[in-house]
Amino acid sequence: IFNQTSWLFAFSKDGSYKWNCLGADVAGNSNFSQQGNYTLTIDATSPNATILNPTNNSFLNNGTQNFTINVSDNSGLANATVFIYNQSGLYNQTTIALGGILQGTIGIVVNLVDGVYTWFWQIVDLANNVFNTATSSGSVGNYTTTVDTILPGINIVYPQNITYAINVSQLNYTYSDVNANKCWYSRDNGVTNSSAVNAGINFTNVISIEGSNIWKVYCNDSAGNLNSTSVIFVKDTSNPN
């Protein structure tokens, strides 16, 4: 006589359990399963993850970025996938197999073009529990990263490369950059510098000397790109002999 029986058990906590079946007939014969003990692992706990790089709301002047995350799980990790979006949609999706490790730091190098990106990671363990860095409990939402490899544009409009017979104390310039930051000037080629102002604000009360002057304007952007331009002019306010 063949009989197939099933049992329903409720496991109270995660862990590994060994089990077997003992069969007995009416004559008192009994035996355990010839396949030996079975192992059952219960894992109802999601993995955990902490994004290391790039930081949230970062401005980067290098398009080659290592998206790095620290991952862990109590029973073993299966894989991790990074999803990167730009204004056109999904830009990159890359998965790394983790082979059951319990903890590790992993990175995926992605080449980004200039633009704004939102991105997140999805971590899966061996029991198919999922942790999403954007939507899971305890997550921080999508990360945002801006890549800007273009130098700010600067043009000095006053003074110009001529001789002035008046005192020159104004330094006017134009600035162009999508991620504007700060500008400052120097009268000695960067040995000493003025205080920085918001990009696009002209400078007043600049000291000029009799004879040749070299004024240089420096500007950066939020991604750390730095540019400069200079003007040479002559101040001659002395009356001729």
Side-chain angles (χ1 to χ4, degrees), residues 35-237:
Q35 285 79 23
N37 290 330
Y38 285 70
T39 299
L40 173 66
T41 300
I42 302 298
D43 178 11
T45 304
S46 296
N48 193 22
T50 302
I51 294 175
L52 302 178
N53 187 69
T55 56
N56 195 20
N57 298 317
S58 56
F59 287 83
L60 310 171
N61 59 19
N62 186 343
T64 301
Q65 291 297 315
N66 190 348
F67 287 76
T68 310
I69 190 169
N70 188 59
V71 293
S72 61
D73 188 74
N74 61 348
S75 63
L77 293 157
N79 60 72
T81 304
V82 63
F83 297 84
I84 305 172
Y85 293 83
N86 63 9
Q87 61 183 4
S88 300
L90 182 62
Y91 180 84
N92 182 282
Q93 176 182 335
T94 304
T95 299
I96 294 181
L98 300 178
I101 64 172
L102 297 178
Q103 190 275 335
T105 299
I106 59 174
I108 296 175
V109 177
V110 181
N111 293 316
L112 306 173
V113 298
D114 281 23
V116 180
Y117 298 85
T118 57
W119 53 280
F120 63 90
W121 284 86
Q122 182 170 283
I123 316 301
V124 183
D125 66 16
L126 296 176
N128 286 324
N129 297 302
V130 177
F131 180 82
N132 186 303
T133 61
T135 61
S136 295
S137 176
S139 64
V140 296
N142 286 324
Y143 269 41
T144 299
T145 295
T146 300
V147 175
D148 176 7
T149 62
I150 300 174
L151 298 179
I154 319 167
N155 182 45
I156 295 176
V157 296
Y158 181 84
Q160 297 182 351
N161 187 19
I162 59 175
T163 298
Y164 292 90
I166 61 173
N167 181 49
V168 179
S169 61
Q170 183 85 11
L171 176 53
N172 299 337
Y173 65 98
T174 60
Y175 174 95
S176 61
D177 195 276
V178 295
N179 300 301
N181 194 20
K182 299 292 185 179
C183 293
W184 59 96
Y185 71 86
S186 176
R187 297 184 298 113
D188 52 16
N189 201 34
V191 177
T192 58
N193 297 310
S194 71
S195 298
V197 299
N198 290 332
I201 296 178
N202 292 318
F203 300 101
T204 59
N205 300 317
V206 183
I207 298 174
S208 58
I209 61 173
E210 287 290 315
S212 180
N213 292 263
I214 303 176
W215 288 1
K216 193 170 189 177
V217 176
Y218 301 84
C219 293
N220 63 13
D221 60 21
S222 298
N225 298 300
L226 176 65
N227 201 4
S228 64
T229 188
S230 61
V231 62
I232 301 174
F233 67 95
V234 173
K235 184 175 81 169
D236 182 5
T237 60

